[in-house]
Amino acid sequence: MKSFNLFILFLVALFLYNTTSLSQDVNNLKLKDYRPVSIYKIPRTEIKKAKYPAIDMHSHDYAQSDSMVDNWVKIMDETGIEKTIILSYTTGQKFDSTIAKYARYKSRFEVWCGFDYTGFDNPGWQKHAVEELERCFKNGAKGVGELGDKGLGEYYSRPVPAYGLHIDDPRMKPLLEKCAELRMPVNVHVAEDEWMYLKADSTNDGLMNAAKWHVDLTKKGILDHDQLIATLETAVKNNPKTTFIACHLANCWANLSTLGKLFDKYPNLYADIAARFSEIAPVPRHVHQFMEKYRNRLVYGTDMGIEKKMYTTTFRILETADEHFYEQWLFDYHWPLYGLSLSDETLKKLYRDNAKKIMKH
């Protein structure tokens, strides 16, 4: 009997030890290491190719060699990407070298240039900037972008940033007017997602990315999210002959009505959905309604590299009604995704038709 009681005590102790150990493991689990696997036994759609030919309106110079360009084209063929727009940011020799890299596949790639802001704080700098824009155009540039302003001014274009110069600055007008004259669309990045401006704490829904891309509003002269959206609106309004593409849904995906109001007022404004798939997929019904309503103003883009699975994941989100799935290898969030189940008419416009309209050079 004594031996039996000791055995029971041993089992109880072992159970308590394992329970305590498990509790400690859970309590010490970091959000960055959280990798849930869906337990739902529900339909899962495998998408290998876009339902309709697609034009990727937002990519970058990812290929580091001719062989990588060749492989990229192969992946494009396999996934249904008809053409890719390389937003190079660049001017001068760097732009020329980028054009040369993709020249073997002129029908599959377009390379867009940046603005040369050299001496932007000196009077008359626009003359050389316009001349360089015209030179890039003659050398193959089909558009401009990605211009970028996260609060302190234009800084994406090379060779120099232009801190203090925003897209609506009167000094930008000669460049934007020249873009209209040359029929060069302008891809514009303004602001960041709204939670990048919030405190990166336990209440922040997008904590991992919010911490990584946090915007410090204490910096002198920095504009906040709404102020940057206002600079975009002013530029679009004051340059009605210039076609603008607000990338990443103008970083307004958390409040799409803001972008919708801009669409309603300005026919020269479009938006790409690049690198915001994981942000729109958690609210599929709301986003479905928005994208169906504004199907004439949205274009497909990726901005996430050149992996085959990257492309097919975006197609799954756009085309299917799949529920509760995770793609954390691509998106740095902990939440499940849902398919938007867009209509065929919207998919055709999103994938290709709107891009063709914009790209009438």
Side-chain angles (χ1 to χ4, degrees):
M1 188 66 178
K2 184 177 181 180
S3 298
F4 178 76
N5 290 338
L6 289 173
F7 178 68
I8 295 298
L9 289 173
F10 170 76
L11 291 178
V12 171
L14 182 62
F15 171 78
L16 292 174
Y17 172 80
N18 288 334
T19 302
T20 301
S21 178
L22 178 61
S23 176
Q24 289 176 343
D25 288 343
V26 171
N27 290 336
N28 293 329
L29 179 65
K30 296 180 179 179
L31 183 60
K32 69 180 182 66
D33 299 322
Y34 182 53
R35 291 293 181 269
V37 177
S38 176
I39 64 171
Y40 290 97
K41 305 302 185 287
I42 52 180
R44 176 184 177 90
T45 308
E46 183 179 2
I47 301 290
K48 295 183 178 180
K49 194 171 187 177
K51 191 170 186 179
Y52 302 102
I55 297 175
D56 186 346
M57 290 290 286
H58 191 134
S59 192
H60 295 289
D61 181 21
Y62 297 118
Q64 301 302 308
S65 64
D66 287 347
S67 62
M68 288 185 68
V69 175
D70 295 337
N71 187 59
W72 193 351
V73 172
K74 180 182 177 182
I75 293 172
M76 289 166 60
D77 289 339
E78 293 172 349
T79 56
I81 303 297
E82 178 182 291
K83 178 176 284 190
T84 295
I85 307 304
I86 306 293
L87 303 178
S88 76
Y89 313 134
T90 58
T91 57
Q93 186 177 5
K94 178 62 176 175
F95 170 76
D96 295 345
S97 65
T98 306
I99 278 281
K101 183 190 298 184
Y102 297 94
R104 291 179 297 118
Y105 296 102
K106 288 186 177 180
S107 66
R108 308 303 300 277
F109 295 99
E110 280 192 11
V111 180
W112 292 14
C113 65
F115 285 147
D116 185 350
Y117 296 120
T118 303
F120 76 95
D121 49 355
N122 297 321
W125 68 275
Q126 296 95 332
K127 182 178 184 298
H128 82 78
V130 168
E131 289 174 350
E132 177 58 18
L133 177 64
E134 291 177 318
R135 191 197 70 82
C136 289
F137 174 75
K138 292 177 181 178
N139 203 25
K142 302 297 185 181
V144 171
E146 168 186 4
L147 303 184
D149 184 354
K150 298 185 180 183
L152 293 174
E154 296 292 333
Y155 76 104
Y156 273 11
S157 290
R158 304 292 186 267
V160 296
Y163 292 120
L165 185 71
H166 302 287
I167 189 69
D168 65 338
D169 193 299
R171 291 173 290 175
M172 291 286 288
K173 195 166 182 61
L175 282 75
L176 297 175
E177 288 181 338
K178 179 58 65 171
C179 288
E181 179 185 327
L182 298 175
R183 302 180 70 176
M184 299 176 75
V186 181
N187 183 290
V188 182
H189 180 137
V190 290
E192 285 287 38
D193 299 330
E194 286 191 31
W195 55 41
M196 310 310 179
Y197 299 86
L198 303 177
K199 189 175 181 179
D201 60 14
S202 62
T203 67
N204 196 313
D205 196 16
L207 181 59
M208 297 310 298
N209 274 327
K212 181 178 180 180
W213 300 105
H214 179 69
V215 178
D216 183 2
L217 290 177
T218 66
K219 291 182 178 179
K220 183 178 179 181
I222 194 170
L223 303 185
D224 64 23
H225 181 276
D226 292 348
Q227 290 172 320
L228 285 166
I229 299 301
T231 68
L232 171 65
E233 179 173 8
T234 302
V236 172
K237 178 176 64 176
N238 291 344
N239 297 275
K241 295 182 179 180
T242 305
T243 298
F244 292 87
I245 305 168
C247 63
H248 313 312
L249 290 166
N251 286 304
C252 290
W253 56 265
N255 185 3
L256 288 172
S257 63
T258 299
L259 180 57
K261 290 174 183 177
L262 295 178
F263 283 154
D264 292 339
K265 289 193 285 187
Y266 307 109
N268 58 322
L269 177 65
Y270 294 80
D272 75 39
I273 62 173
R276 294 301 179 268
F277 293 91
S278 58
E279 287 82 358
I280 60 179
V283 285
R285 289 186 293 275
H286 176 70
V287 174
H288 174 95
Q289 293 173 355
F290 176 84
M291 295 182 75
E292 293 290 336
K293 179 178 180 180
Y294 293 106
R295 62 166 64 108
N296 294 320
R297 312 295 286 281
L298 299 168
V299 295
Y300 174 77
T302 59
D303 192 26
M304 297 181 292
I306 60 177
E307 289 188 46
K308 182 188 296 187
K309 190 178 179 183
M310 179 276 294
Y311 290 114
T312 58
T313 298
T314 68
F315 305 151
R316 184 185 184 194
I317 290 171
L318 297 174
E319 298 178 19
T320 80
D322 285 5
E323 298 180 291
H324 200 89
F325 59 95
Y326 297 93
E327 297 291 355
Q328 288 174 306
W329 66 275
L330 182 59
F331 308 122
D332 193 17
Y333 293 115
H334 57 278
W335 52 51
L337 310 175
Y338 300 82
L340 303 179
S341 190
L342 298 176
S343 68
D344 285 355
E345 183 179 358
T346 295
L347 287 172
K348 289 177 182 177
K349 289 180 177 293
L350 178 70
Y351 278 148
R352 188 174 186 271
D353 292 353
N354 294 339
K356 296 293 284 186
K357 182 180 179 181
I358 292 170
M359 294 160 56
K360 287 182 178 178
H361 304 298

Coordinates of all heavy atoms in Angstrom, one line a residue, residues 126 130 133 170-179:
Q126 N 15.3 73.0 -61.1 CA 14.4 72.2 -61.9 C 14.8 72.0 -63.3 O 14.4 71.1 -64.0 CB 13.0 72.8 -61.9 CG 12.3 72.9 -60.5 CD 12.5 74.2 -59.8 OE1 13.5 74.9 -60.0 NE2 11.6 74.6 -58.9
V130 N 14.5 68.5 -65.0 CA 13.6 68.3 -66.2 C 14.4 67.7 -67.4 O 14.0 66.8 -68.1 CB 12.9 69.5 -66.6 CG1 12.2 69.4 -68.0 CG2 11.9 69.9 -65.6
L133 N 15.1 64.1 -66.7 CA 13.8 63.4 -66.9 C 13.6 63.1 -68.4 O 13.3 62.0 -68.7 CB 12.6 64.2 -66.3 CG 11.3 63.5 -66.5 CD1 11.2 62.2 -65.8 CD2 10.2 64.5 -66.0
P170 N 5.3 73.7 -54.6 CA 5.3 74.4 -55.9 C 6.6 74.2 -56.7 O 6.5 74.2 -58.0 CB 5.2 75.9 -55.5 CG 4.5 75.9 -54.2 CD 5.0 74.7 -53.5
R171 N 7.7 73.9 -56.1 CA 9.0 73.6 -56.8 C 8.9 72.3 -57.6 O 9.7 72.1 -58.5 CB 10.1 73.6 -55.8 CG 10.5 74.9 -55.2 CD 11.5 74.8 -54.1 NE 11.0 74.1 -52.9 CZ 11.8 73.8 -51.9 NH1 13.1 74.1 -51.9 NH2 11.2 73.2 -50.8
M172 N 7.9 71.4 -57.2 CA 7.8 70.2 -57.9 C 7.0 70.3 -59.2 O 7.0 69.4 -60.1 CB 7.1 69.1 -57.0 CG 7.9 68.7 -55.8 SD 9.3 67.6 -56.3 CE 8.3 66.1 -56.7
K173 N 6.3 71.4 -59.4 CA 5.3 71.5 -60.5 C 6.0 71.4 -61.9 O 5.4 70.7 -62.7 CB 4.5 72.8 -60.4 CG 3.3 72.8 -61.2 CD 2.4 74.0 -60.9 CE 1.1 73.9 -61.7 NZ 0.3 72.7 -61.6
P174 N 7.1 72.0 -62.1 CA 7.7 71.8 -63.5 C 8.0 70.3 -63.8 O 7.8 69.9 -64.9 CB 9.0 72.6 -63.4 CG 8.8 73.6 -62.3 CD 7.9 72.9 -61.3
L175 N 8.4 69.5 -62.8 CA 8.6 68.1 -63.1 C 7.3 67.4 -63.3 O 7.2 66.5 -64.2 CB 9.4 67.5 -61.9 CG 10.9 67.8 -61.8 CD1 11.1 69.2 -61.3 CD2 11.6 66.8 -60.8
L176 N 6.3 67.6 -62.5 CA 5.0 66.9 -62.7 C 4.3 67.3 -64.0 O 3.7 66.5 -64.6 CB 4.1 67.2 -61.5 CG 4.7 66.7 -60.1 CD1 3.8 67.2 -59.0 CD2 4.8 65.2 -60.1
E177 N 4.5 68.6 -64.4 CA 3.9 69.0 -65.7 C 4.7 68.4 -66.8 O 4.0 68.0 -67.8 CB 4.0 70.5 -65.8 CG 3.0 71.3 -64.9 CD 3.1 72.8 -65.0 OE1 4.2 73.3 -65.5 OE2 2.1 73.5 -64.7
K178 N 6.0 68.2 -66.7 CA 6.7 67.5 -67.7 C 6.3 66.0 -67.8 O 6.2 65.5 -68.9 CB 8.2 67.6 -67.5 CG 9.1 66.9 -68.5 CD 8.9 67.4 -69.9 CE 9.3 68.9 -70.1 NZ 9.3 69.3 -71.5
C179 N 6.0 65.4 -66.7 CA 5.5 64.1 -66.7 C 4.2 64.0 -67.5 O 3.9 63.0 -68.3 CB 5.3 63.5 -65.3 SG 6.8 63.2 -64.4

